[in-house]
Amino acid sequence: SQTIHQWPATLVQPVGSPLSLECTVEGTSNPNLYWYRQAAGRGLQLLFYSVGIGQISSEVPQNLSASRPQDRQFILSSKKLLLSDSGFYLCAWSVPTGYYGYTFGSGTRLTVV
Amino acid sequence: EDKVVQSPLSLVVHEGDTVTLNCSYEVTNFRSLLWYKQEKKAPTFLFMLTSSGIEKKSGRLSSILDKKELFSILNITATQTGDSAIYLCAGLPYNAGNNRKLIWGLGTSLAVNP
């Protein structure tokens, strides 16, 4: 069966520090991968998605970047965090075709101080 | 612009009540509508609806889609405190690139009091 792992679960980082959040999927190949941010427990905002290795699409201009160095690995990064980067970050995967929804990772609560 | 609107935004009920959550959508090349439940962490999948008029059911939860009027409802009967959560609705359009980007509503926050 497929599983998705996301870490860390919580993170407190100072303004100006770098960020790296990692997400891996097991039990499937060539998944679509997504990074979302959720503010105040509502409103999922799509940040990045990837349909293949090295293929990253950005949905909103911001202080973050994403990479997909391996088929089932998706990384969210920042060189210098801003206070506004605080939030709940969710990784998700889906099959690229067919009638299936997303499966989400357990999320990372990021607080920038 | 594609959008999904959920109502009400928040709801407080007592255990045993029946609730109906609403989701209307305007999604170009609409394919399916999805419902998720989010407690403290990640949203968990409830239903995917693709055809009009066919009810999907899981225990006390059920959902139906109306593709003519562009809405869906999620019903929860005999609510329990464990049903307290944010319920998210999302539209899935067809996409030539198969990126499967969902159009999300803001969610309905349900609180079930004992």
Side-chain angles (χ1 to χ4, degrees):
Chain A
S1 64
Q2 301 91 356
T3 55
I4 179 168
H5 303 280
Q6 184 181 342
W7 67 93
T10 59
L11 195 57
V12 180
Q13 293 284 96
V15 169
S17 64
L19 172 74
S20 181
L21 303 181
E22 190 162 340
C23 173
T24 59
V25 181
E26 295 177 357
T28 188
S29 59
N30 196 33
N32 284 1
L33 296 170
Y34 309 85
W35 278 112
Y36 279 91
R37 178 169 58 203
Q38 189 176 36
R42 307 288 290 271
L44 289 168
Q45 179 188 35
L46 179 62
L47 302 176
F48 301 95
Y49 68 90
S50 171
V51 299
I53 295 174
Q55 299 179 59
I56 308 294
S57 296
S58 173
E59 287 295 292
V60 292
Q62 59 205 319
N63 187 41
L64 302 168
S65 62
S67 62
R68 184 170 177 173
Q70 300 180 46
D71 181 44
R72 290 168 290 176
Q73 183 186 28
F74 205 22
I75 298 172
L76 182 70
S77 304
S78 173
K79 292 182 180 177
K80 288 186 177 182
L81 284 169
L82 305 171
L83 287 174
S84 58
D85 292 323
S86 294
F88 188 50
Y89 289 82
L90 287 159
C91 180
W93 78 273
S94 75
V95 294
T97 58
Y99 289 79
Y100 300 100
Y102 289 6
T103 300
F104 286 88
S106 54
T108 296
R109 177 79 56 193
L110 171 66
T111 304
V112 182
V113 297
Chain B
E1 184 182 337
D2 291 346
K3 64 179 178 181
V4 171
V5 178
Q6 293 187 245
S7 63
L9 290 181
S10 65
L11 191 57
V12 181
V13 300
H14 289 101
E15 268 193 316
D17 287 352
T18 293
V19 298
T20 297
L21 309 182
N22 304 293
C23 175
S24 64
Y25 63 90
E26 295 177 24
V27 176
T28 307
N29 295 323
F30 175 81
R31 183 180 199 176
S32 303
L33 189 127
L34 295 90
W35 285 96
Y36 284 81
K37 176 183 181 181
Q38 185 177 24
E39 297 175 81
K40 294 200 184 303
K41 291 202 170 179
T44 55
F45 174 76
L46 293 175
F47 299 112
M48 174 180 273
L49 303 152
T50 304
S51 301
S52 260
I54 299 175
E55 185 183 58
K56 294 233 174 164
K57 198 171 173 66
S58 176
R60 297 175 293 100
L61 277 66
S62 64
S63 185
I64 198 162
L65 177 69
D66 185 327
K67 292 171 77 173
K68 182 179 176 184
E69 300 297 330
L70 307 183
F71 77 91
S72 174
I73 58 171
L74 175 69
N75 279 322
I76 309 174
T77 58
T79 52
Q80 303 171 357
T81 55
D83 295 324
S84 297
I86 294 174
Y87 290 85
L88 294 162
C89 170
L92 173 66
Y94 283 98
N95 183 283
N98 281 326
N99 60 41
R100 299 178 64 78
K101 289 193 294 180
L102 294 176
I103 315 299
W104 292 90
L106 292 180
T108 293
S109 178
L110 174 65
V112 181
N113 292 330

